[in-house]
């Protein structure tokens, strides 16, 4: 990553000789001959930033010399991967720590109000129009999946994107995402007749925890049908941990020659897109939209076409996807903040900050539901659609630098899409507790973090930052919690588990088919891994079968019905359901160009859901974390390998 050490630090260091510092780090001084000139520069920087404790334990030259060099290799990596280098990281940390010690409220001087956005109802005329606009626009989009997270809450041994989104077909999240993008690509290119085909690029942000396994998943599955050149992996680096208010870097408890590190958060994606040159390449090639999404939301692509349509029609520079949110619900609220000095921004405010902020600014009841039964501040689901061009931020960047007391050095701007996180401007402190009332040292080390959704914080007031609210049932069902924690979720709150994530797919597909005219039985309630969920018929389809609601509607006609115990899997672009009565399991797999009309009565013993205990280690982890498995007793399965017209009427 390119670095841009701020002018003042560089000047100060260049005027000093290492001898000026060595008195504070005698052990380092003795070891200087071991170091390369670049390492000496890094040593100077560390001493200048009051980090001499890192060398306190260094023995005489000749003892553990390799470890000493490895220490500097790590310092070099940390320095290179943070915008502005380690000195900038430490400086930002000190500022934030001082603010925190002083109890400074980050929203001091700001008054919250409800921002403007669009609320969509699945399947109505407005929704359909936005979907059409979104699909047209998709050929100018690039997708960015942030998949560097450890998933500690879920506790799954593998990477999250390798988990099945549902176990009827076993399709994993990454496959579903890639197939959804390919379906958008195909339909969007078709609509733009004469403008030639388009390849929609996908960037995946990984970390050391997920990188090699993500590559392996892609390679062993032929990139799930995408061209390998369409996919770019960007690996985020971890950042240094901090031990006290002076931002002294924490020594790894297991290795005294290592600085302890932890993930920096999904906000890294902005600076990585910038520093890798990928963003510039995309914008140079005429890409207009950058869509950021997360690793385990199996419903997201039902919401993408319409949300992109909203962005396109309203020309939003940033469009945050949101869901209705009950007052005080534990999900960030999208809020307009207006400062006394006139500054405004539309931003995610965490729920535990929103209520006190409202109370402190003339709303004695805090965050309360309005006439809709929901809080007027919609719930942020952290999927962002950003407009890649149109604003010239150069001036604005200069102002931001200066207001932070930094000198503007060379700033390269990729066609107006500027990333404030480049200089750590969007960093915040990760949660920490002080050791004692002196508020100096911490119970355990902390670090700086940055959040993808904080991007609009530093946009100028002229930027159009809006949101699109969608009903949760078709937009948001992440898999974040392990079975034990999910079972403890208070009644009425979402489990966000592998169980609820899979059931949400069946529910959404059932409701969509119902809306399209199919008679679908009501769900039954069942308990899996201690979580009570609605079990709908297991209705699944490939993204190319039903990319938009209009698409789905055009493939369903006559009197179709599906019983509650049924399963249907539609794996083909042109499968048409006409007067189909299903009571059992039906699987249709058809190549592109095979048009299959399916009707008549399909009845068999079907696929049965059976309980599994998550502690039963004889069952694969990805299955037992759901609390059920699918027993495939009997099905009608048809595969069409050649293009042509077919009719299936049992
Ligand atoms: P989560 O909030 O799910 O966090 O991240 P997590 O780290 O994956 O899981 P926990 O908190 O340890 O349980 C939201 C999205 O951001 C990505 C995740 O992969 C997920 O898609 N992420 C998170 C990163 O890419 N990098 C990070 O440093 C953190």
């Amino acid at each position: 990553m390119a670095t841009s050490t701020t002018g003042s630090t560089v000047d100060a260091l260049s005027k000093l000789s290492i001898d000026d510092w060595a008195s504070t780090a005698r052990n380092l001084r003795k070891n200087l001959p071991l170091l390369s000139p670049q390492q000496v520069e890094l040593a100077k920087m560390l001493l200048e930033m009051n980090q001499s404790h890192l060398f306190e334990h260094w023995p005489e030259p000749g003892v553990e010399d390799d470890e000493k060099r490895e220490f500097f290799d790590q310092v070099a990596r940390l320095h290179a991967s943070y915008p502005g280098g380690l000195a900038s990281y430490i400086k930002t940390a000190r500022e934030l720590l001082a603010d925190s010690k002083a109890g400074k409220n980050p929203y001091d001087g700001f008054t919250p109000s409800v921002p403007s956005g669009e609320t969509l109802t699945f399947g109505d005329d407005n929704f359909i129009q936005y979907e059409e606009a979104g699909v047209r626009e998709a050929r100018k989009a690039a997708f960015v999946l942030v998949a560097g997270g450890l998933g500690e809450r879920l506790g799954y041994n593998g990477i999250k994107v390798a988990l099945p989104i549902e176990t009827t077909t076993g399709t994993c999240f990454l496959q579903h995402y890639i197939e959804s993008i390919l379906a958008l690509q195909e339909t969007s290119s078709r609509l733009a007749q004469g403008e030639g085909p388009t390849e929609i690029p996908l960037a995946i942000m990984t970390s050391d925890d997920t990188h090699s396994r993500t590559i392996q998943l892609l390679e062993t599955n032929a990139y799930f049908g995408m061209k390998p050149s369409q996919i770019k992996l960007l690996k985020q680096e971890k950042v240094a941990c901090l031990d006290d208010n002076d931002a002294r870097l924490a020594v790894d408890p297991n290795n005294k020659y290592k600085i302890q590190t932890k993930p920096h958060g999904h906000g890294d994606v902005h600076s990585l897109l910038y520093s890798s040159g990928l963003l510039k390449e995309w914008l140079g090639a005429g890409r207009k939209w950058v869509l950021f999404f997360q690793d385990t939301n199996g419903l997201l692509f039902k919401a993408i076409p319409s949300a992109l349509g909203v962005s396109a029609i309203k020309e939003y520079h940033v469009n945050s996807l949101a869901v209705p949110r009950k007052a005080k619900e534990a999900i960030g609220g999208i809020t307009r903040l207006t400062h006394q000095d006139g500054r405004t921004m539309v931003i995610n405010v965490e729920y535990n900050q929103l209520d006190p902020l409202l109370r402190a600014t003339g709303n004695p009841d805090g965050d309360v539901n309005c006439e809709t039964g929901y809080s007027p501040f919609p719930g942020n689901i952290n999927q962002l659609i950003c407009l890649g061009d149109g604003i010239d931020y150069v001036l604005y960047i200069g102002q931001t630098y200066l207001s932070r007391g930094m000198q503007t050095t060379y700033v390269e701007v990729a066609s107006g899409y500027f990333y404030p996180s480049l200089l750590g401007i969007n960093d915040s402190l990760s949660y920490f507790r002080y050791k004692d009332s002196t508020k100096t040292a911490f119970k355990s080390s902390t670090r700086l973090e940055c959040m993808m959704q904080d991007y609009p914080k530093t946009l100028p007031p002229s930027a159009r930052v809006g949101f699109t609210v969608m009903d949760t049932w078709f937009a948001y069902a992440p898999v974040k919690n392990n079975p034990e924690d999910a079972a403890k979720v208070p009644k009425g709150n979402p489990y966000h588990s592998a169980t609820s994530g899979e059931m949400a797919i069946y529910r959404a597909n059932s409701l969509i088919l119902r809306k399209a005219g199919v008679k679908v039985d009501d769900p039954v309630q069942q308990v899996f891994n201690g979580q009570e969920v609605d079990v709908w018929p297991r209705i699944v389809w490939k993204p190319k079968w039903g990319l938009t609601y209009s698409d789905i509607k055009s493939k369903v006609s006559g009197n179709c019905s599906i019983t509650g115990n049924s399963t249907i899997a539609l794996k083909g672009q042109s499968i048409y359901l006409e007067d189909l009565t299903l009571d059992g399991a039906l699987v249709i797999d058809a190549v592109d160009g095979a048009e299959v009309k399916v009707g008549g009565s399909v009845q068999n013993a079907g696929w049965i859901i059976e309980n599994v205990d998550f502690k039963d280690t004889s069952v694969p982890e990805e299955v037992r974390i759901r609390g059920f498995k699918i027993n495939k007793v009997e099905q009608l399965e048809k595969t069409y390998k050649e293009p042509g017209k077919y009719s299936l009427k049992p």
Side-chain angles (χ1 to χ4, degrees):
M1 183 185 292
T3 59
S4 52
T5 309
T6 51
S8 53
T9 311
V10 172
D11 291 348
L13 286 174
S14 57
K15 284 187 200 123
L16 289 163
S17 122
I18 188 73
D19 289 331
D20 293 329
W21 300 107
S23 60
T24 55
R26 282 181 219 294
N27 298 343
L28 171 65
R29 184 178 193 170
K30 284 184 245 162
N31 284 286
L32 280 182
L34 295 175
L35 307 183
S36 69
Q38 290 84 353
Q39 289 172 333
V40 171
E41 282 305 307
L42 290 172
K44 277 186 193 172
M45 179 270 296
L46 287 173
L47 296 181
E48 146 89 5
M49 299 312 288
N50 202 17
Q51 304 292 335
S52 58
H53 66 286
L54 295 170
F55 308 103
E56 264 164 15
H57 60 272
W58 275 35
E60 298 291 315
V63 183
E64 297 172 342
D65 289 349
D66 286 346
E67 285 86 341
K68 292 169 194 161
R69 290 192 194 97
E70 276 162 28
F71 167 83
F72 272 104
D73 288 345
Q74 187 202 15
V75 170
R77 278 197 306 277
L78 291 171
H79 186 64
S81 62
Y82 190 78
L86 256 180
S88 165
Y89 180 80
I90 296 165
K91 187 168 177 283
T92 306
R94 280 190 191 136
E95 284 170 19
L96 291 168
L97 286 161
D99 287 354
S100 165
K101 186 174 179 182
K104 198 167 153 190
N105 174 356
Y107 297 117
D108 238 6
F110 282 103
T111 305
S113 59
V114 181
S116 66
E118 181 70 36
T119 300
L120 300 183
T121 303
F122 188 90
D124 71 6
D125 289 348
N126 192 38
F127 181 86
I128 290 170
Q129 275 173 19
Y130 278 128
E131 273 202 325
E132 277 169 15
V135 172
R136 261 177 221 288
E137 209 64 18
R139 58 195 300 280
K140 298 180 209 145
F143 283 83
V144 182
L145 167 62
V146 290
L150 251 181
E152 273 173 305
R153 283 170 291 169
L154 186 64
Y156 175 56
N157 263 318
I159 49 170
K160 289 187 272 176
V161 289
L163 276 172
I165 156 175
E166 36 79 12
T167 46
T168 295
T169 63
T171 306
C172 73
F173 279 99
L174 191 53
Q175 175 173 6
H176 172 73
Y177 292 150
I178 289 179
E179 289 181 350
S180 299
I181 294 168
L182 289 175
L184 270 171
Q185 171 179 304
E186 199 191 319
T187 313
S188 194
S189 297
R190 194 167 0 102
L191 291 176
Q193 287 161 343
E195 288 181 46
T198 299
E199 282 177 11
I200 300 179
L202 167 66
I204 307 176
M205 183 172 77
T206 57
S207 65
D208 276 329
D209 299 317
T210 62
H211 190 73
S212 55
R213 286 178 292 178
T214 307
I215 294 181
Q216 198 188 4
L217 182 65
L218 286 165
E219 285 180 350
T220 50
N221 290 285
Y223 290 75
F224 297 112
M226 202 171 243
K227 284 190 187 162
S229 57
Q230 252 176 291
I231 303 181
K232 294 270 184 318
L233 264 61
L234 304 170
K235 185 159 79 72
Q236 63 177 142
E237 298 294 337
K238 291 183 176 166
V239 287
C241 293
L242 310 160
D243 261 344
D244 60 22
N245 262 349
D246 194 32
R248 277 151 48 103
L249 302 181
V251 176
D252 189 324
N254 302 316
N255 181 349
K256 58 185 181 175
Y257 290 102
K258 230 174 142 190
I259 294 170
Q260 194 185 13
T261 59
K262 285 193 181 157
H264 186 220
H266 40 54
D268 270 345
V269 72
H270 298 305
S271 48
L272 276 175
L273 276 179
Y274 177 85
S275 61
S276 64
L278 199 53
L279 185 74
K280 203 170 175 190
E281 184 187 314
W282 287 348
L283 297 176
R287 310 251 134 231
K288 195 169 165 192
W289 307 101
V290 185
L291 290 90
F292 297 91
F293 66 109
Q294 304 200 4
D295 51 17
T296 61
N297 182 8
L299 295 178
L300 180 73
F301 276 84
K302 298 187 192 303
I304 286 289
S306 55
L308 181 54
V310 170
S311 276
I313 287 171
K314 299 197 174 252
E315 296 193 308
Y316 280 150
H317 292 113
V318 181
N319 181 9
S320 293
L321 272 60
V323 292
R325 172 181 163 279
K326 289 278 183 196
K328 302 184 184 66
E329 194 182 322
I331 168 172
I334 305 211
T335 311
R336 173 182 295 284
L337 295 176
T338 308
H339 199 267
Q340 285 152 353
D341 64 13
R343 269 181 295 146
T344 61
M345 57 183 172
V346 175
I347 196 78
N348 173 67
V349 177
E350 288 308 331
Y351 73 98
N352 52 352
Q353 295 177 314
L354 181 59
D355 188 69
L357 181 62
L358 282 160
R359 287 175 197 274
T361 50
N363 305 281
D365 297 330
D367 183 21
V368 282
N369 293 329
C370 62
E371 62 286 352
T372 59
Y374 290 94
S375 163
F377 300 94
N380 170 39
I381 61 168
N382 246 354
Q383 325 280 339
L384 305 176
I385 304 180
C386 297
L387 177 62
D389 61 12
I391 318 176
D392 182 0
Y393 283 136
V394 181
L395 251 182
Y396 180 71
I397 298 160
Q399 282 163 12
T400 311
Y401 277 64
L402 293 173
S403 69
R404 289 177 64 91
M406 299 175 184
Q407 283 177 21
T408 312
T409 49
Y410 175 63
V411 184
E412 194 183 2
V413 180
S415 187
Y417 191 61
F418 169 65
Y419 287 110
S421 49
L422 274 178
L423 275 185
I425 288 169
N426 269 344
D427 274 2
S428 56
L429 280 170
S430 180
Y431 177 77
F432 72 99
R433 280 194 289 172
Y434 291 109
K435 210 177 226 166
D436 54 41
S437 58
T438 60
K439 289 194 170 182
T440 310
F442 313 140
K443 274 204 164 140
S444 61
S445 65
T446 187
R447 66 193 188 275
L448 295 190
E449 273 187 326
C450 64
M451 302 296 157
M452 183 166 90
Q453 67 272 24
D454 280 347
Y455 167 61
K457 264 189 186 164
T458 38
L459 295 187
S462 57
R464 289 180 296 279
V465 183
F467 60 80
T468 304
V469 184
M470 322 254 189
D471 276 329
T472 310
W473 68 263
F474 76 91
Y476 191 50
V479 177
K480 286 187 189 283
N481 293 325
N482 63 63
E484 271 169 320
D485 290 344
K488 287 186 217 143
V489 164
K491 208 173 159 51
N493 287 8
Y495 297 121
H496 289 171
S497 64
T499 314
S500 61
E502 174 159 358
M503 289 301 163
I505 306 292
Y506 303 141
R507 177 174 63 159
N509 289 348
S510 295
L511 290 173
I512 292 169
L513 281 198
R514 254 192 191 176
K515 187 152 186 69
V518 178
K519 185 178 164 296
V520 179
D521 276 1
D522 281 337
V524 289
Q525 289 199 327
Q526 269 182 269
V527 177
F528 303 111
N529 284 346
Q531 303 154 56
E532 190 176 76
V533 287
D534 281 349
V535 182
W536 289 80
R538 272 68 66 204
I539 298 174
V540 291
W541 55 71
K542 288 241 178 231
K544 65 178 163 190
W545 184 79
L547 184 64
T548 61
Y549 176 59
S550 316
D551 207 8
I552 294 164
K553 228 174 145 206
S554 71
K555 289 174 179 165
V556 174
S557 62
N559 286 323
C560 292
S561 65
I562 298 176
T563 62
N565 284 327
S566 293
T567 297
I568 182 167
L570 302 168
K571 306 176 183 178
Q573 200 167 35
S574 309
I575 303 169
Y576 295 88
L577 309 183
E578 289 181 1
D579 297 315
L580 170 73
T581 307
L582 175 64
D583 183 21
L586 173 65
V587 180
I588 315 268
D589 198 338
V591 291
D592 289 354
E595 191 183 303
V596 188
K597 292 196 169 151
V598 188
S601 172
V602 176
Q603 204 169 12
N604 55 47
W607 292 1
I608 314 293
I609 289 192
E610 292 174 357
N611 278 70
V612 166
D613 186 342
F614 77 89
K615 292 193 188 112
D616 180 357
T617 48
S618 68
V619 179
E621 190 183 3
E622 52 275 21
V623 174
R624 69 185 144 87
I625 57 172
R626 289 155 214 273
F628 61 84
K629 65 177 182 193
I630 294 179
N631 182 0
K632 300 182 176 177
V633 181
E634 193 188 2
Q635 69 281 324
L636 174 64
E637 188 162 8
K638 288 278 176 194
T639 303
Y640 301 88
K641 291 187 175 155
E642 300 294 331
K645 293 201 175 210
Y646 303 91
S647 172
L648 174 67
K649 265 198 183 159

